[in-house]
Amino acid sequence: MISSRPDLAAVLAFACAALFTALIVPLVRRMGLRWGLIDQPDARKQHTAPMVRLGGVGIVAGFVLALLLIWWLGGFVALPPLQDAQIWTTLAGALCFFVIGLADDLFALPPLPRLAGQLLVAMAVWSQGVRIGAIDLPFNPFGGAPGAIELSDGLSLLTTVIWLVGITNAINWLDGLDGLAAGVSGIAAVGLLSVSYSLNQPAPGLLAAALAGSCLGFLRHNFNPARIFMGDGGSYFLGFALAAISIVGPAKGLTSVSLLLPLLILSLPLADMSAVIMGRLSQGRSPFYPDRRHLHHRLLRAGFSHRRTVVLIYAFTQWLAALALVLVNAEMRFLWLALATAVLIGVVIACRRSLKREQELQQGQAGDGG
């Protein structure tokens, strides 16, 4: 049984999820084309041809099939009852968020009904034990030894709902370029996998491993130039799964969680969402008003190509994940941070050099034309 080998179980979950997703997504694409379930291009979007936007079906199917295989092999057999309930609640909540997003993909739901559905599911998940019951601090603001600030039920509910819904929509709003949301979610899932295993939480780590594998399998068909989009169903599923895993995974107890780690890993999409909302509100517009304020839009306007923009955001996300490993004292943490820093610096230098060459080429062509 693989319950005695959590490292082997994680590798198997990752590989199977990647394989299943990569095989299922083309089938979903063919069905979408046959049924006319496509996303039409417009002035705000980057794609110029109609695209099937049901890739989330393949992501969810690959994820679930991989976990069913791990469960059949005994990967979850040694869970204590309370954490077993948390795992099932996480899966149920992620599937509910997927259904909300899929309904939007199929019927173009208005923003408020979508938000109401997300809030209801998040509250139901909280009631079943997936909750932020305390916030661990590295310092005590009132003096004395560091410890956890216990949250009342009302504050715990509010914090948990904001966290689950906020992360979900941050990933959803990040889904503006080919491969961006899937890649960032996959990197974040690998970070949560490492953090969960460092804190001796293998069961949430298995969820993170399967989630990372599903993202990789989907990227086979979604990286620029994409052949299919994940749609709101896929981004809602990934966002909620990451948020919930960060609660039941990087936990030092069954009711307490250090928010610093998942906040750090997911800080880029969260910061992007916050900046966009504040910008819209400052102009008297709805937070749901569609525009081109996102980080990837700004990088595109700065002259970066589609692929360079995505890779640059990947590099920064993996650096943040490596920094989180340092905070939890993971093995070889400084080696991973050094490698992540080298990757980030290398990507930044390569992107800037490539951008400079393109600008010089364009200037030369303009001079020849004059």
Side-chain angles (χ1 to χ4, degrees), residues 219-237:
L219 277 174
R220 170 69 178 79
H221 309 281
N222 182 243
F223 195 74
N224 182 259
R227 294 183 291 277
I228 189 172
F229 293 159
M230 68 171 63
D232 286 348
S235 60
Y236 281 9
F237 174 80

Side-chain angles (χ1 to χ4, degrees), residues 12 22 62 64 93 109 118 151 180-181 198 206 239 246-247 278 312 345 350:
L12 185 61
V64 171
L109 300 179
Q118 293 175 13
L151 303 180
L180 183 56
S198 295
L206 287 177
S246 71
I247 292 177
M278 292 178 63
L312 188 59
I345 293 174

